[in-house]
Amino acid sequence: MQLTLCGHQFRYECENLCRLFFPYSPVKVNAPDTAVRGEPWALARIEERGGQYEYTVEAWDDGKSLSRTERRPALEEYGITDLMYRTFRDLTGYTPAWGMLTGIHPVKLLRQYTEELGEEAGAEKFRTHCHVSGAKTDLALRTLRAQKPAVEELGENDYSLYVSIPFCPTRCAYCSFVSQDVEHAKKLMAPYFDLLLVELEKTAQVAQDLGLCLRSVYIGGGTPTTLTAEQLTVLCGKIKGVFDFSRCGEFTVEAGRPDTITREKLAALKEQGVGRISINPQSLSDQVLRNIGRRHTAQDVLDAFALAKEAGFTNINADLIVGLPGDSLESFQKTLEGVLDLGAANVTVHSLALKRSARLVTESGDLTLHSRREETAAMMDHSIARLTEAGYEPYYLYRQTRMAGNLENTGWAKPGTECRYNVYTMDECSSVIACGAGGVSKLKDPYSDRLERVFNFKNPLEYITRNGEILERKERVTQLYEQFRQRLH
């Protein structure tokens, strides 16, 4: 995708719209008159004329071209992006369900509109101003309502803790996370684990000194249950030993892969007070599981659920993915019914998002493996209807680039089983302090819309060799909170 910009600095926004309509064509920003026919191209130009601004978008794709010009009284980002969206939509014949939205937090935007205008008018602006379909507007509004209790109870010093275990038994074919499969990372796991405990101690001290209040804990990855039962006991015991749990109402461990779950590990988690776990089948089709490089079977998922219930877990999440290679609407429907029969309290439905580093892409060179827009959308629509019918409500929602069908990831929960950590991190309404490789602390100023990030090293080896720098970065948490509080006075 070739893009030419003239008369404005809205490059980021225009590039995102190009990716929305042409997700498998890398965007190259060219100088005017240098576009090479043979691949999609677009021109986005703003010119001042007689006290007004003339917005022009020209686009070409597959032998078809379209040009539009409009006048507006001011120079604004929305003027060019709205015109570009409508031009691309009419040129390609494709109307994205989420309209011109390219950010990952649509519910956060809807919250801003409803706080400004009220629920009804805010939802209408979300739908019309952003070209979002009625169905997706309704989904976002339902999610916003379900989040309300968790968001409204937050105090100015509340925060959540995220702990990263960046190891998996194998690397899934669609995965682009910086995680290591256990076979190649055995030598890293022990030193990583020891240094993680040190970072947790440092983080707990920072939180205590700042007078912060822990509300939820989430151990994710990777696959945390690649750790042994003994390590899980030590890790959870360390967290409970150094952090103040007096107001922490939620402790989640993403058990994830069924082939890592044992009776001993579940018992260790239960003994340490973990109340919520995930068992993530992605699919209950053995063929689809083979296609994505999973070593477990559908029966392993059933067995893992049985073990978890035997251990006393009642709040269990199951992750599913629409758009997987070899999956079909009928197969996905069977998977969803199977998960409902298992009694999952939460069901998270993801749209396949293929990044360039995913094995499905690097081995095939094909980014279009999941481009079955209509079938993928049908899978997602079925999940919305079926989960609603079964008494679940959407409670968090986010989007990613290059998602199958340009859809969404939605967490569904039976009433009273919502994972508040997911609400806080996706809505960005409360601070999350992260420990471990790949962890990103997101610090929310309780007195403004300001959000600051503090990054840990992504790679486990770098995390180990440069751990001193990780500990130093925790001081940045203190500095930022001091800045937040200074502004209050």
Side-chain angles (χ1 to χ4, degrees):
M1 178 72 193
Q2 301 173 88
L3 173 64
T4 298
L5 306 174
C6 297
H8 62 92
Q9 300 296 319
F10 305 127
R11 171 172 175 165
Y12 176 78
E13 296 80 6
C14 291
E15 283 184 331
N16 279 341
L17 280 173
C18 289
R19 294 187 184 99
L20 175 60
F21 283 90
F22 305 94
Y24 313 114
S25 179
V27 180
K28 294 174 287 187
V29 180
N30 296 327
D33 303 320
T34 61
V36 178
R37 295 296 177 100
E39 62 179 276
W41 65 265
L43 165 72
R45 181 177 63 228
I46 304 177
E47 295 178 294
E48 186 176 7
R49 293 180 182 271
Q52 286 196 318
Y53 290 87
E54 186 175 270
Y55 292 75
T56 299
V57 172
E58 298 177 17
W60 182 93
D61 177 46
D62 196 25
K64 298 178 291 184
S65 63
L66 193 60
S67 178
R68 283 214 171 105
T69 298
E70 294 180 351
R71 287 203 169 199
R72 292 175 180 260
L75 177 66
E76 58 179 6
E77 172 194 319
Y78 182 78
I80 195 67
T81 53
D82 177 61
L83 184 60
M84 176 175 276
Y85 169 83
R86 290 184 282 114
T87 302
F88 282 165
R89 179 194 61 194
D90 294 344
L91 176 69
T92 63
Y94 170 53
T95 302
W98 286 99
M100 65 191 296
L101 297 183
T102 59
I104 66 174
H105 302 291
V107 178
K108 183 178 178 181
L109 177 63
L110 177 59
R111 184 187 303 282
Q112 294 172 3
Y113 287 168
T114 58
E115 288 178 349
E116 174 189 355
L117 303 170
E119 184 178 282
E120 184 176 349
E124 181 64 12
K125 179 179 179 179
F126 184 77
R127 185 184 67 81
T128 58
H129 187 74
C130 304
H131 303 281
V132 180
S133 74
K136 296 306 181 187
T137 300
D138 180 64
L139 179 65
L141 189 58
R142 290 175 65 189
T143 305
L144 181 65
R145 290 169 178 162
Q147 291 181 353
K148 190 175 181 180
V151 173
E152 289 186 344
E153 76 165 25
L154 285 170
E156 64 182 35
N157 291 318
D158 288 352
Y159 78 104
S160 296
L161 174 69
Y162 177 80
V163 182
S164 170
I165 306 297
F167 305 103
C168 286
T170 60
R171 189 179 180 88
C172 295
Y174 55 78
C175 182
S176 63
F177 289 122
V178 182
S179 58
Q180 303 281 317
D181 65 85
V182 172
E183 292 181 4
H184 294 90
K186 287 182 179 178
K187 293 182 180 179
L188 298 178
M189 291 185 71
Y192 176 88
F193 184 79
D194 291 341
L195 291 170
L196 178 62
L197 300 181
V198 175
E199 187 187 3
L200 287 166
E201 290 182 358
K202 173 69 174 180
T203 302
Q205 188 62 56
V206 168
Q208 179 180 322
D209 292 345
L210 288 169
L212 302 183
C213 179
L214 182 65
R215 300 306 303 271
S216 68
V217 177
Y218 193 103
I219 303 178
T223 305
T225 42
T226 52
L227 298 178
T228 65
E230 293 76 17
Q231 287 174 318
L232 289 169
T233 296
V234 171
L235 176 61
C236 295
K238 172 63 74 172
I239 293 170
K240 294 187 70 176
V242 298
F243 288 89
D244 180 359
F245 265 64
S246 60
R247 292 191 62 208
C248 182
E250 180 179 88
F251 195 168
T252 297
V253 174
E254 191 174 336
R257 296 274 288 264
D259 44 339
T260 66
I261 296 173
T262 66
R263 181 176 281 102
E264 293 73 23
K265 292 178 184 180
L266 291 169
L269 296 177
K270 193 66 179 175
E271 289 169 5
Q272 291 300 319
V274 173
R276 179 180 182 273
I277 63 171
S278 290
I279 300 173
N280 300 333
Q282 317 302 15
S283 172
L284 290 179
S285 163
D286 287 342
Q287 183 57 58
V288 173
L289 291 171
R290 286 192 291 270
N291 291 347
I292 62 175
R294 287 284 184 115
R295 289 183 179 175
H296 67 81
T297 65
Q299 185 60 49
D300 293 329
V301 177
L302 307 186
D303 294 343
F305 261 85
L307 284 176
K309 291 178 179 179
E310 182 184 311
F313 287 100
T314 57
N315 194 350
I316 305 173
N317 173 76
D319 279 8
L320 304 178
I321 300 178
V322 301
L324 289 171
D327 208 0
S328 66
L329 175 58
E330 181 181 5
S331 174
F332 176 76
Q333 289 172 334
K334 290 179 179 178
T335 288
L336 182 55
E337 289 304 316
V339 167
L340 294 179
D341 288 343
L342 287 170
N346 300 171
V347 180
T348 306
V349 183
H350 296 268
S351 299
L352 177 65
L354 281 184
K355 308 300 184 182
R356 295 186 179 276
S357 59
R359 183 159 53 84
L360 277 176
V361 176
T362 58
E363 292 185 356
S364 67
D366 186 3
L367 268 167
T368 65
L369 287 168
H370 66 322
S371 60
R372 301 165 294 154
R373 281 178 177 162
E374 292 184 4
E375 186 172 35
T376 303
M379 294 179 189
M380 185 62 76
D381 289 345
H382 174 77
S383 75
I384 294 171
R386 184 68 183 94
L387 287 164
T388 298
E389 179 185 40
Y392 295 78
E393 279 297 318
Y395 77 98
Y396 82 101
L397 185 155
Y398 68 102
R399 304 181 67 236
Q400 297 168 269
T401 57
R402 297 193 180 91
M403 297 186 78
N406 190 42
L407 296 169
E408 69 277 344
N409 302 325
T410 307
W412 296 79
K414 287 289 185 71
T417 69
E418 299 86 356
C419 176
R420 297 199 167 198
Y421 168 83
N422 286 330
V423 174
Y424 300 151
T425 190
M426 290 304 167
D427 196 63
E428 297 182 332
C429 55
S430 178
S431 291
V432 175
I433 303 180
C435 294
V440 180
S441 296
K442 296 191 292 185
L443 307 179
K444 174 68 171 64
D445 181 354
Y447 316 111
S448 74
D449 292 332
R450 181 181 175 190
L451 188 78
E452 296 284 349
R453 290 174 171 81
V454 180
F455 296 85
N456 280 7
F457 296 117
K458 289 184 177 181
N459 188 282
L461 178 59
E462 194 171 17
Y463 177 89
I464 293 168
T465 57
R466 302 176 65 180
N467 194 260
E469 294 175 59
I470 294 288
L471 301 182
E472 290 175 4
R473 291 183 186 186
K474 285 293 180 284
E475 297 297 337
R476 179 65 176 155
V477 175
T478 300
Q479 295 168 5
L480 286 168
Y481 263 94
E482 289 175 348
Q483 291 178 19
F484 298 160
R485 290 164 178 173
Q486 284 173 0
R487 292 184 61 195
L488 178 64
H489 303 294

